[in-house]
Amino acid sequence: MFIAFFDRDRINFLSHYLQSQHGFKCKGYFSFIKQNPVPQARKVKFQNGWEEAVMLQKPDGKLTFNYENGQQPDYIILPICSGNERTEHPTQKPLKAMYPFIKYFTNKNDLILDPFAGSGTTAVAARNLGRRFIVMEKEPKYAEIIRNRLNNFNTKHGKPNAAQISFNL
Ligand SMILES: C[S@@+](CC[C@H](N)C(=O)[O-])C[C@H]1O[C@@H](n2cnc3c(N)ncnc32)[C@H](O)[C@@H]1O
């Protein structure tokens, strides 16, 4: 599967491009709805209260969908990241926003790639659910956050079983 949170104004173009030019199949869209969106400082438009991801099956790719996890709507309603989980990354997603993708579309020990890792939420979520991962982040200060999260956060899950943090400087 290819899953991307993307600019809401352009996400359909991305989906259409990957389907028409590269043979991907759209498996739908998924919304992360924020219970407490950031206030609009300039007060000239609505608060931005949701983010959208597109889910595409790769050409000739096997589709894993673990329906035994139960029914899951194509949205999740959560507060934005706060408390112990929060890092300095400005667009950090809550771990709970990533769990549905990982639980339904992958099996234990599958390998997950996130080439735009930010604070490393995908890596931490993958590690917590027993999946392997490769993450990439170009900003050294964010890569450091990833290292710290993998080393310190939620240590009951132990150290990553396979991690590669790649610096693209
Ligand atoms: C929207 S943020 C991802 C946030 C992440 N989902 C989280 O929960 O923290 C995208 C990240 O991609 C990184 N990035 C952008 N272009 C990149 C590139 N060419 N290679 C690696 N990382 C890149 C940015 O520095 C940014 O931290």
Side-chain angles (χ1 to χ4, degrees), residues 38-63:
V38 176
Q40 274 292 334
R42 293 179 57 220
K43 303 185 175 143
V44 291
K45 57 180 184 175
F46 294 130
Q47 289 168 268
N48 180 353
W50 55 276
E51 293 184 33
E52 194 79 344
V54 63
M55 303 174 288
L56 295 146
Q57 186 178 353
K58 291 189 285 187
D60 307 320
K62 169 174 87 88
L63 177 67

mmCIF file with all atom_site columns, all heavy atoms in Angstrom, residues 38-63:
data_model
loop_
_atom_site.group_PDB
_atom_site.id
_atom_site.type_symbol
_atom_site.label_atom_id
_atom_site.label_alt_id
_atom_site.label_comp_id
_atom_site.label_asym_id
_atom_site.label_entity_id
_atom_site.label_seq_id
_atom_site.pdbx_PDB_ins_code
_atom_site.Cartn_x
_atom_site.Cartn_y
_atom_site.Cartn_z
_atom_site.occupancy
_atom_site.B_iso_or_equiv
_atom_site.pdbx_formal_charge
_atom_site.auth_seq_id
_atom_site.auth_comp_id
_atom_site.auth_asym_id
_atom_site.auth_atom_id
_atom_site.pdbx_PDB_model_num
ATOM 1   N N   . VAL A 1 38 ? -5.923  24.056  15.884  1.00 0.00 ? 38 VAL A N   1
ATOM 2   C CA  . VAL A 1 38 ? -5.195  25.275  16.262  1.00 0.00 ? 38 VAL A CA  1
ATOM 3   C C   . VAL A 1 38 ? -6.048  26.496  15.881  1.00 0.00 ? 38 VAL A C   1
ATOM 4   O O   . VAL A 1 38 ? -6.591  26.552  14.772  1.00 0.00 ? 38 VAL A O   1
ATOM 5   C CB  . VAL A 1 38 ? -3.840  25.311  15.514  1.00 0.00 ? 38 VAL A CB  1
ATOM 6   C CG1 . VAL A 1 38 ? -3.096  26.613  15.801  1.00 0.00 ? 38 VAL A CG1 1
ATOM 7   C CG2 . VAL A 1 38 ? -3.004  24.101  15.898  1.00 0.00 ? 38 VAL A CG2 1
ATOM 8   N N   . PRO A 1 39 ? -6.200  27.489  16.780  1.00 0.00 ? 39 PRO A N   1
ATOM 9   C CA  . PRO A 1 39 ? -6.986  28.672  16.447  1.00 0.00 ? 39 PRO A CA  1
ATOM 10  C C   . PRO A 1 39 ? -6.380  29.435  15.266  1.00 0.00 ? 39 PRO A C   1
ATOM 11  O O   . PRO A 1 39 ? -5.166  29.443  15.080  1.00 0.00 ? 39 PRO A O   1
ATOM 12  C CB  . PRO A 1 39 ? -6.919  29.525  17.724  1.00 0.00 ? 39 PRO A CB  1
ATOM 13  C CG  . PRO A 1 39 ? -6.545  28.573  18.803  1.00 0.00 ? 39 PRO A CG  1
ATOM 14  C CD  . PRO A 1 39 ? -5.699  27.499  18.160  1.00 0.00 ? 39 PRO A CD  1
ATOM 15  N N   . GLN A 1 40 ? -7.226  30.045  14.488  1.00 0.00 ? 40 GLN A N   1
ATOM 16  C CA  . GLN A 1 40 ? -6.783  30.879  13.373  1.00 0.00 ? 40 GLN A CA  1
ATOM 17  C C   . GLN A 1 40 ? -6.366  32.241  13.911  1.00 0.00 ? 40 GLN A C   1
ATOM 18  O O   . GLN A 1 40 ? -7.215  33.016  14.369  1.00 0.00 ? 40 GLN A O   1
ATOM 19  C CB  . GLN A 1 40 ? -7.938  31.077  12.379  1.00 0.00 ? 40 GLN A CB  1
ATOM 20  C CG  . GLN A 1 40 ? -8.053  29.980  11.365  1.00 0.00 ? 40 GLN A CG  1
ATOM 21  C CD  . GLN A 1 40 ? -6.893  29.944  10.390  1.00 0.00 ? 40 GLN A CD  1
ATOM 22  O OE1 . GLN A 1 40 ? -6.241  30.963  10.136  1.00 0.00 ? 40 GLN A OE1 1
ATOM 23  N NE2 . GLN A 1 40 ? -6.605  28.766  9.883   1.00 0.00 ? 40 GLN A NE2 1
ATOM 24  N N   . ALA A 1 41 ? -5.070  32.549  13.823  1.00 0.00 ? 41 ALA A N   1
ATOM 25  C CA  . ALA A 1 41 ? -4.576  33.787  14.414  1.00 0.00 ? 41 ALA A CA  1
ATOM 26  C C   . ALA A 1 41 ? -5.178  35.015  13.723  1.00 0.00 ? 41 ALA A C   1
ATOM 27  O O   . ALA A 1 41 ? -5.540  35.991  14.370  1.00 0.00 ? 41 ALA A O   1
ATOM 28  C CB  . ALA A 1 41 ? -3.063  33.826  14.327  1.00 0.00 ? 41 ALA A CB  1
ATOM 29  N N   . ARG A 1 42 ? -5.323  34.966  12.396  1.00 0.00 ? 42 ARG A N   1
ATOM 30  C CA  . ARG A 1 42 ? -5.766  36.174  11.674  1.00 0.00 ? 42 ARG A CA  1
ATOM 31  C C   . ARG A 1 42 ? -7.286  36.313  11.632  1.00 0.00 ? 42 ARG A C   1
ATOM 32  O O   . ARG A 1 42 ? -7.814  37.307  11.177  1.00 0.00 ? 42 ARG A O   1
ATOM 33  C CB  . ARG A 1 42 ? -5.180  36.166  10.259  1.00 0.00 ? 42 ARG A CB  1
ATOM 34  C CG  . ARG A 1 42 ? -3.653  36.340  10.306  1.00 0.00 ? 42 ARG A CG  1
ATOM 35  C CD  . ARG A 1 42 ? -3.028  36.316  8.926   1.00 0.00 ? 42 ARG A CD  1
ATOM 36  N NE  . ARG A 1 42 ? -3.582  37.329  8.066   1.00 0.00 ? 42 ARG A NE  1
ATOM 37  C CZ  . ARG A 1 42 ? -3.851  37.148  6.774   1.00 0.00 ? 42 ARG A CZ  1
ATOM 38  N NH1 . ARG A 1 42 ? -3.632  35.984  6.208   1.00 0.00 ? 42 ARG A NH1 1
ATOM 39  N NH2 . ARG A 1 42 ? -4.361  38.127  6.055   1.00 0.00 ? 42 ARG A NH2 1
ATOM 40  N N   . LYS A 1 43 ? -7.986  35.262  12.055  1.00 0.00 ? 43 LYS A N   1
ATOM 41  C CA  . LYS A 1 43 ? -9.457  35.311  12.179  1.00 0.00 ? 43 LYS A CA  1
ATOM 42  C C   . LYS A 1 43 ? -10.161 35.681  10.878  1.00 0.00 ? 43 LYS A C   1
ATOM 43  O O   . LYS A 1 43 ? -11.116 36.458  10.871  1.00 0.00 ? 43 LYS A O   1
ATOM 44  C CB  . LYS A 1 43 ? -9.848  36.269  13.306  1.00 0.00 ? 43 LYS A CB  1
ATOM 45  C CG  . LYS A 1 43 ? -9.214  35.878  14.631  1.00 0.00 ? 43 LYS A CG  1
ATOM 46  C CD  . LYS A 1 43 ? -9.681  36.722  15.783  1.00 0.00 ? 43 LYS A CD  1
ATOM 47  C CE  . LYS A 1 43 ? -9.078  36.178  17.062  1.00 0.00 ? 43 LYS A CE  1
ATOM 48  N NZ  . LYS A 1 43 ? -8.700  37.097  18.037  1.00 0.00 ? 43 LYS A NZ  1
ATOM 49  N N   . VAL A 1 44 ? -9.648  35.122  9.763   1.00 0.00 ? 44 VAL A N   1
ATOM 50  C CA  . VAL A 1 44 ? -10.298 35.412  8.480   1.00 0.00 ? 44 VAL A CA  1
ATOM 51  C C   . VAL A 1 44 ? -10.807 34.142  7.801   1.00 0.00 ? 44 VAL A C   1
ATOM 52  O O   . VAL A 1 44 ? -11.317 34.197  6.685   1.00 0.00 ? 44 VAL A O   1
ATOM 53  C CB  . VAL A 1 44 ? -9.341  36.150  7.518   1.00 0.00 ? 44 VAL A CB  1
ATOM 54  C CG1 . VAL A 1 44 ? -9.061  37.559  8.011   1.00 0.00 ? 44 VAL A CG1 1
ATOM 55  C CG2 . VAL A 1 44 ? -8.040  35.361  7.334   1.00 0.00 ? 44 VAL A CG2 1
ATOM 56  N N   . LYS A 1 45 ? -10.655 32.994  8.443   1.00 0.00 ? 45 LYS A N   1
ATOM 57  C CA  . LYS A 1 45 ? -11.181 31.763  7.857   1.00 0.00 ? 45 LYS A CA  1
ATOM 58  C C   . LYS A 1 45 ? -11.412 30.745  8.964   1.00 0.00 ? 45 LYS A C   1
ATOM 59  O O   . LYS A 1 45 ? -11.039 30.981  10.124  1.00 0.00 ? 45 LYS A O   1
ATOM 60  C CB  . LYS A 1 45 ? -10.244 31.203  6.784   1.00 0.00 ? 45 LYS A CB  1
ATOM 61  C CG  . LYS A 1 45 ? -8.850  30.931  7.264   1.00 0.00 ? 45 LYS A CG  1
ATOM 62  C CD  . LYS A 1 45 ? -7.987  30.378  6.125   1.00 0.00 ? 45 LYS A CD  1
ATOM 63  C CE  . LYS A 1 45 ? -6.617  30.021  6.625   1.00 0.00 ? 45 LYS A CE  1
ATOM 64  N NZ  . LYS A 1 45 ? -5.769  29.392  5.655   1.00 0.00 ? 45 LYS A NZ  1
ATOM 65  N N   . PHE A 1 46 ? -12.054 29.622  8.601   1.00 0.00 ? 46 PHE A N   1
ATOM 66  C CA  . PHE A 1 46 ? -12.296 28.570  9.580   1.00 0.00 ? 46 PHE A CA  1
ATOM 67  C C   . PHE A 1 46 ? -10.975 27.971  10.059  1.00 0.00 ? 46 PHE A C   1
ATOM 68  O O   . PHE A 1 46 ? -9.980  27.968  9.321   1.00 0.00 ? 46 PHE A O   1
ATOM 69  C CB  . PHE A 1 46 ? -13.131 27.441  8.974   1.00 0.00 ? 46 PHE A CB  1
ATOM 70  C CG  . PHE A 1 46 ? -14.537 27.849  8.604   1.00 0.00 ? 46 PHE A CG  1
ATOM 71  C CD1 . PHE A 1 46 ? -15.047 27.553  7.347   1.00 0.00 ? 46 PHE A CD1 1
ATOM 72  C CD2 . PHE A 1 46 ? -15.357 28.509  9.505   1.00 0.00 ? 46 PHE A CD2 1
ATOM 73  C CE1 . PHE A 1 46 ? -16.341 27.911  6.993   1.00 0.00 ? 46 PHE A CE1 1
ATOM 74  C CE2 . PHE A 1 46 ? -16.653 28.872  9.162   1.00 0.00 ? 46 PHE A CE2 1
ATOM 75  C CZ  . PHE A 1 46 ? -17.148 28.579  7.902   1.00 0.00 ? 46 PHE A CZ  1
ATOM 76  N N   . GLN A 1 47 ? -11.004 27.402  11.252  1.00 0.00 ? 47 GLN A N   1
ATOM 77  C CA  . GLN A 1 47 ? -9.840  26.649  11.716  1.00 0.00 ? 47 GLN A CA  1
ATOM 78  C C   . GLN A 1 47 ? -9.678  25.416  10.819  1.00 0.00 ? 47 GLN A C   1
ATOM 79  O O   . GLN A 1 47 ? -10.677 24.860  10.354  1.00 0.00 ? 47 GLN A O   1
ATOM 80  C CB  . GLN A 1 47 ? -10.065 26.168  13.152  1.00 0.00 ? 47 GLN A CB  1
ATOM 81  C CG  . GLN A 1 47 ? -10.031 27.265  14.182  1.00 0.00 ? 47 GLN A CG  1
ATOM 82  C CD  . GLN A 1 47 ? -10.554 26.751  15.503  1.00 0.00 ? 47 GLN A CD  1
ATOM 83  O OE1 . GLN A 1 47 ? -11.729 26.857  15.788  1.00 0.00 ? 47 GLN A OE1 1
ATOM 84  N NE2 . GLN A 1 47 ? -9.683  26.190  16.301  1.00 0.00 ? 47 GLN A NE2 1
ATOM 85  N N   . ASN A 1 48 ? -8.423  25.020  10.638  1.00 0.00 ? 48 ASN A N   1
ATOM 86  C CA  . ASN A 1 48 ? -8.143  23.830  9.823   1.00 0.00 ? 48 ASN A CA  1
ATOM 87  C C   . ASN A 1 48 ? -8.313  22.605  10.714  1.00 0.00 ? 48 ASN A C   1
ATOM 88  O O   . ASN A 1 48 ? -7.438  22.284  11.508  1.00 0.00 ? 48 ASN A O   1
ATOM 89  C CB  . ASN A 1 48 ? -6.720  23.964  9.282   1.00 0.00 ? 48 ASN A CB  1
ATOM 90  C CG  . ASN A 1 48 ? -6.340  22.788  8.418   1.00 0.00 ? 48 ASN A CG  1
ATOM 91  O OD1 . ASN A 1 48 ? -7.069  21.805  8.316   1.00 0.00 ? 48 ASN A OD1 1
ATOM 92  N ND2 . ASN A 1 48 ? -5.192  22.893  7.800   1.00 0.00 ? 48 ASN A ND2 1
ATOM 93  N N   . GLY A 1 49 ? -9.452  21.919  10.590  1.00 0.00 ? 49 GLY A N   1
ATOM 94  C CA  . GLY A 1 49 ? -9.803  20.875  11.553  1.00 0.00 ? 49 GLY A CA  1
ATOM 95  C C   . GLY A 1 49 ? -9.644  19.454  11.085  1.00 0.00 ? 49 GLY A C   1
ATOM 96  O O   . GLY A 1 49 ? -9.991  18.528  11.820  1.00 0.00 ? 49 GLY A O   1
ATOM 97  N N   . TRP A 1 50 ? -9.136  19.235  9.876   1.00 0.00 ? 50 TRP A N   1
ATOM 98  C CA  . TRP A 1 50 ? -8.958  17.846  9.430   1.00 0.00 ? 50 TRP A CA  1
ATOM 99  C C   . TRP A 1 50 ? -7.836  17.741  8.407   1.00 0.00 ? 50 TRP A C   1
ATOM 100 O O   . TRP A 1 50 ? -7.502  18.710  7.737   1.00 0.00 ? 50 TRP A O   1
ATOM 101 C CB  . TRP A 1 50 ? -10.251 17.249  8.864   1.00 0.00 ? 50 TRP A CB  1
ATOM 102 C CG  . TRP A 1 50 ? -10.893 18.024  7.752   1.00 0.00 ? 50 TRP A CG  1
ATOM 103 C CD1 . TRP A 1 50 ? -11.733 19.089  7.889   1.00 0.00 ? 50 TRP A CD1 1
ATOM 104 C CD2 . TRP A 1 50 ? -10.735 17.834  6.343   1.00 0.00 ? 50 TRP A CD2 1
ATOM 105 N NE1 . TRP A 1 50 ? -12.118 19.554  6.658   1.00 0.00 ? 50 TRP A NE1 1
ATOM 106 C CE2 . TRP A 1 50 ? -11.530 18.792  5.683   1.00 0.00 ? 50 TRP A CE2 1
ATOM 107 C CE3 . TRP A 1 50 ? -10.016 16.925  5.559   1.00 0.00 ? 50 TRP A CE3 1
ATOM 108 C CZ2 . TRP A 1 50 ? -11.617 18.878  4.293   1.00 0.00 ? 50 TRP A CZ2 1
ATOM 109 C CZ3 . TRP A 1 50 ? -10.101 17.012  4.173   1.00 0.00 ? 50 TRP A CZ3 1
ATOM 110 C CH2 . TRP A 1 50 ? -10.900 17.979  3.558   1.00 0.00 ? 50 TRP A CH2 1
ATOM 111 N N   . GLU A 1 51 ? -7.275  16.534  8.347   1.00 0.00 ? 51 GLU A N   1
ATOM 112 C CA  . GLU A 1 51 ? -6.249  16.231  7.344   1.00 0.00 ? 51 GLU A CA  1
ATOM 113 C C   . GLU A 1 51 ? -6.694  14.994  6.590   1.00 0.00 ? 51 GLU A C   1
ATOM 114 O O   . GLU A 1 51 ? -7.379  14.135  7.143   1.00 0.00 ? 51 GLU A O   1
ATOM 115 C CB  . GLU A 1 51 ? -4.901  15.964  8.020   1.00 0.00 ? 51 GLU A CB  1
ATOM 116 C CG  . GLU A 1 51 ? -4.336  17.199  8.675   1.00 0.00 ? 51 GLU A CG  1
ATOM 117 C CD  . GLU A 1 51 ? -2.951  16.969  9.254   1.00 0.00 ? 51 GLU A CD  1
ATOM 118 O OE1 . GLU A 1 51 ? -2.175  16.184  8.690   1.00 0.00 ? 51 GLU A OE1 1
ATOM 119 O OE2 . GLU A 1 51 ? -2.658  17.580  10.290  1.00 0.00 ? 51 GLU A OE2 1
ATOM 120 N N   . GLU A 1 52 ? -6.272  14.916  5.360   1.00 0.00 ? 52 GLU A N   1
ATOM 121 C CA  . GLU A 1 52 ? -6.753  13.840  4.492   1.00 0.00 ? 52 GLU A CA  1
ATOM 122 C C   . GLU A 1 52 ? -5.576  12.992  3.979   1.00 0.00 ? 52 GLU A C   1
ATOM 123 O O   . GLU A 1 52 ? -4.560  13.542  3.568   1.00 0.00 ? 52 GLU A O   1
ATOM 124 C CB  . GLU A 1 52 ? -7.480  14.477  3.302   1.00 0.00 ? 52 GLU A CB  1
ATOM 125 C CG  . GLU A 1 52 ? -8.302  13.539  2.488   1.00 0.00 ? 52 GLU A CG  1
ATOM 126 C CD  . GLU A 1 52 ? -9.644  13.210  3.132   1.00 0.00 ? 52 GLU A CD  1
ATOM 127 O OE1 . GLU A 1 52 ? -9.831  13.455  4.348   1.00 0.00 ? 52 GLU A OE1 1
ATOM 128 O OE2 . GLU A 1 52 ? -10.502 12.689  2.420   1.00 0.00 ? 52 GLU A OE2 1
ATOM 129 N N   . ALA A 1 53 ? -5.768  11.668  4.006   1.00 0.00 ? 53 ALA A N   1
ATOM 130 C CA  . ALA A 1 53 ? -4.774  10.762  3.422   1.00 0.00 ? 53 ALA A CA  1
ATOM 131 C C   . ALA A 1 53 ? -5.437  9.973   2.303   1.00 0.00 ? 53 ALA A C   1
ATOM 132 O O   . ALA A 1 53 ? -6.622  9.637   2.389   1.00 0.00 ? 53 ALA A O   1
ATOM 133 C CB  . ALA A 1 53 ? -4.247  9.783   4.479   1.00 0.00 ? 53 ALA A CB  1
ATOM 134 N N   . VAL A 1 54 ? -4.666  9.696   1.276   1.00 0.00 ? 54 VAL A N   1
ATOM 135 C CA  . VAL A 1 54 ? -5.153  8.805   0.221   1.00 0.00 ? 54 VAL A CA  1
ATOM 136 C C   . VAL A 1 54 ? -4.481  7.448   0.407   1.00 0.00 ? 54 VAL A C   1
ATOM 137 O O   . VAL A 1 54 ? -3.323  7.366   0.826   1.00 0.00 ? 54 VAL A O   1
ATOM 138 C CB  . VAL A 1 54 ? -4.890  9.389   -1.190  1.00 0.00 ? 54 VAL A CB  1
ATOM 139 C CG1 . VAL A 1 54 ? -3.407  9.549   -1.492  1.00 0.00 ? 54 VAL A CG1 1
ATOM 140 C CG2 . VAL A 1 54 ? -5.577  8.550   -2.267  1.00 0.00 ? 54 VAL A CG2 1
ATOM 141 N N   . MET A 1 55 ? -5.250  6.383   0.121   1.00 0.00 ? 55 MET A N   1
ATOM 142 C CA  . MET A 1 55 ? -4.735  5.016   0.298   1.00 0.00 ? 55 MET A CA  1
ATOM 143 C C   . MET A 1 55 ? -4.787  4.332   -1.059  1.00 0.00 ? 55 MET A C   1
ATOM 144 O O   . MET A 1 55 ? -5.867  4.185   -1.648  1.00 0.00 ? 55 MET A O   1
ATOM 145 C CB  . MET A 1 55 ? -5.608  4.259   1.305   1.00 0.00 ? 55 MET A CB  1
ATOM 146 C CG  . MET A 1 55 ? -5.679  4.976   2.641   1.00 0.00 ? 55 MET A CG  1
ATOM 147 S SD  . MET A 1 55 ? -6.823  4.230   3.813   1.00 0.00 ? 55 MET A SD  1
ATOM 148 C CE  . MET A 1 55 ? -8.402  4.654   3.105   1.00 0.00 ? 55 MET A CE  1
ATOM 149 N N   . LEU A 1 56 ? -3.633  3.945   -1.572  1.00 0.00 ? 56 LEU A N   1
ATOM 150 C CA  . LEU A 1 56 ? -3.570  3.362   -2.921  1.00 0.00 ? 56 LEU A CA  1
ATOM 151 C C   . LEU A 1 56 ? -2.853  2.025   -2.892  1.00 0.00 ? 56 LEU A C   1
ATOM 152 O O   . LEU A 1 56 ? -1.791  1.888   -2.263  1.00 0.00 ? 56 LEU A O   1
ATOM 153 C CB  . LEU A 1 56 ? -2.816  4.306   -3.853  1.00 0.00 ? 56 LEU A CB  1
ATOM 154 C CG  . LEU A 1 56 ? -3.486  5.666   -4.114  1.00 0.00 ? 56 LEU A CG  1
ATOM 155 C CD1 . LEU A 1 56 ? -2.447  6.750   -4.286  1.00 0.00 ? 56 LEU A CD1 1
ATOM 156 C CD2 . LEU A 1 56 ? -4.374  5.593   -5.340  1.00 0.00 ? 56 LEU A CD2 1
ATOM 157 N N   . GLN A 1 57 ? -3.453  1.068   -3.594  1.00 0.00 ? 57 GLN A N   1
ATOM 158 C CA  . GLN A 1 57 ? -2.790  -0.238  -3.730  1.00 0.00 ? 57 GLN A CA  1
ATOM 159 C C   . GLN A 1 57 ? -1.772  -0.138  -4.859  1.00 0.00 ? 57 GLN A C   1
ATOM 160 O O   . GLN A 1 57 ? -2.077  0.377   -5.943  1.00 0.00 ? 57 GLN A O   1
ATOM 161 C CB  . GLN A 1 57 ? -3.840  -1.307  -4.057  1.00 0.00 ? 57 GLN A CB  1
ATOM 162 C CG  . GLN A 1 57 ? -3.286  -2.711  -4.076  1.00 0.00 ? 57 GLN A CG  1
ATOM 163 C CD  . GLN A 1 57 ? -4.362  -3.741  -4.354  1.00 0.00 ? 57 GLN A CD  1
ATOM 164 O OE1 . GLN A 1 57 ? -5.554  -3.424  -4.408  1.00 0.00 ? 57 GLN A OE1 1
ATOM 165 N NE2 . GLN A 1 57 ? -3.961  -4.982  -4.532  1.00 0.00 ? 57 GLN A NE2 1
ATOM 166 N N   . LYS A 1 58 ? -0.564  -0.645  -4.602  1.00 0.00 ? 58 LYS A N   1
ATOM 167 C CA  . LYS A 1 58 ? 0.488   -0.537  -5.593  1.00 0.00 ? 58 LYS A CA  1
ATOM 168 C C   . LYS A 1 58 ? 0.178   -1.449  -6.782  1.00 0.00 ? 58 LYS A C   1
ATOM 169 O O   . LYS A 1 58 ? -0.495  -2.463  -6.623  1.00 0.00 ? 58 LYS A O   1
ATOM 170 C CB  . LYS A 1 58 ? 1.832   -0.951  -4.985  1.00 0.00 ? 58 LYS A CB  1
ATOM 171 C CG  . LYS A 1 58 ? 2.323   0.039   -3.947  1.00 0.00 ? 58 LYS A CG  1
ATOM 172 C CD  . LYS A 1 58 ? 3.738   -0.274  -3.521  1.00 0.00 ? 58 LYS A CD  1
ATOM 173 C CE  . LYS A 1 58 ? 3.770   -1.469  -2.608  1.00 0.00 ? 58 LYS A CE  1
ATOM 174 N NZ  . LYS A 1 58 ? 5.072   -1.750  -2.019  1.00 0.00 ? 58 LYS A NZ  1
ATOM 175 N N   . PRO A 1 59 ? 0.668   -1.095  -7.995  1.00 0.00 ? 59 PRO A N   1
ATOM 176 C CA  . PRO A 1 59 ? 0.439   -1.965  -9.138  1.00 0.00 ? 59 PRO A CA  1
ATOM 177 C C   . PRO A 1 59 ? 1.017   -3.346  -8.852  1.00 0.00 ? 59 PRO A C   1
ATOM 178 O O   . PRO A 1 59 ? 2.147   -3.455  -8.375  1.00 0.00 ? 59 PRO A O   1
ATOM 179 C CB  . PRO A 1 59 ? 1.195   -1.281  -10.280 1.00 0.00 ? 59 PRO A CB  1
ATOM 180 C CG  . PRO A 1 59 ? 1.841   -0.082  -9.706  1.00 0.00 ? 59 PRO A CG  1
ATOM 181 C CD  . PRO A 1 59 ? 1.465   0.080   -8.291  1.00 0.00 ? 59 PRO A CD  1
ATOM 182 N N   . ASP A 1 60 ? 0.255   -4.378  -9.083  1.00 0.00 ? 60 ASP A N   1
ATOM 183 C CA  . ASP A 1 60 ? 0.669   -5.763  -8.811  1.00 0.00 ? 60 ASP A CA  1
ATOM 184 C C   . ASP A 1 60 ? 0.960   -5.998  -7.331  1.00 0.00 ? 60 ASP A C   1
ATOM 185 O O   . ASP A 1 60 ? 1.558   -7.000  -6.973  1.00 0.00 ? 60 ASP A O   1
ATOM 186 C CB  . ASP A 1 60 ? 1.916   -6.164  -9.633  1.00 0.00 ? 60 ASP A CB  1
ATOM 187 C CG  . ASP A 1 60 ? 1.712   -5.905  -11.112 1.00 0.00 ? 60 ASP A CG  1
ATOM 188 O OD1 . ASP A 1 60 ? 0.593   -6.163  -11.589 1.00 0.00 ? 60 ASP A OD1 1
ATOM 189 O OD2 . ASP A 1 60 ? 2.656   -5.430  -11.757 1.00 0.00 ? 60 ASP A OD2 1
ATOM 190 N N   . GLY A 1 61 ? 0.567   -5.036  -6.487  1.00 0.00 ? 61 GLY A N   1
ATOM 191 C CA  . GLY A 1 61 ? 0.828   -5.211  -5.052  1.00 0.00 ? 61 GLY A CA  1
ATOM 192 C C   . GLY A 1 61 ? -0.247  -6.066  -4.398  1.00 0.00 ? 61 GLY A C   1
ATOM 193 O O   . GLY A 1 61 ? -1.406  -6.004  -4.771  1.00 0.00 ? 61 GLY A O   1
ATOM 194 N N   . LYS A 1 62 ? 0.173   -6.865  -3.427  1.00 0.00 ? 62 LYS A N   1
ATOM 195 C CA  . LYS A 1 62 ? -0.776  -7.684  -2.668  1.00 0.00 ? 62 LYS A CA  1
ATOM 196 C C   . LYS A 1 62 ? -1.514  -6.751  -1.709  1.00 0.00 ? 62 LYS A C   1
ATOM 197 O O   . LYS A 1 62 ? -0.901  -5.872  -1.104  1.00 0.00 ? 62 LYS A O   1
ATOM 198 C CB  . LYS A 1 62 ? 0.045   -8.724  -1.902  1.00 0.00 ? 62 LYS A CB  1
ATOM 199 C CG  . LYS A 1 62 ? -0.710  -9.503  -0.863  1.00 0.00 ? 62 LYS A CG  1
ATOM 200 C CD  . LYS A 1 62 ? 0.180   -10.595 -0.286  1.00 0.00 ? 62 LYS A CD  1
ATOM 201 C CE  . LYS A 1 62 ? 1.032   -10.113 0.879   1.00 0.00 ? 62 LYS A CE  1
ATOM 202 N NZ  . LYS A 1 62 ? 0.477   -10.192 2.199   1.00 0.00 ? 62 LYS A NZ  1
ATOM 203 N N   . LEU A 1 63 ? -2.824  -6.956  -1.576  1.00 0.00 ? 63 LEU A N   1
ATOM 204 C CA  . LEU A 1 63 ? -3.583  -6.131  -0.625  1.00 0.00 ? 63 LEU A CA  1
ATOM 205 C C   . LEU A 1 63 ? -3.766  -6.898  0.670   1.00 0.00 ? 63 LEU A C   1
ATOM 206 O O   . LEU A 1 63 ? -4.351  -7.979  0.696   1.00 0.00 ? 63 LEU A O   1
ATOM 207 C CB  . LEU A 1 63 ? -4.965  -5.777  -1.192  1.00 0.00 ? 63 LEU A CB  1
ATOM 208 C CG  . LEU A 1 63 ? -5.851  -4.980  -0.228  1.00 0.00 ? 63 LEU A CG  1
ATOM 209 C CD1 . LEU A 1 63 ? -5.279  -3.587  0.014   1.00 0.00 ? 63 LEU A CD1 1
ATOM 210 C CD2 . LEU A 1 63 ? -7.275  -4.873  -0.762  1.00 0.00 ? 63 LEU A CD2 1
#
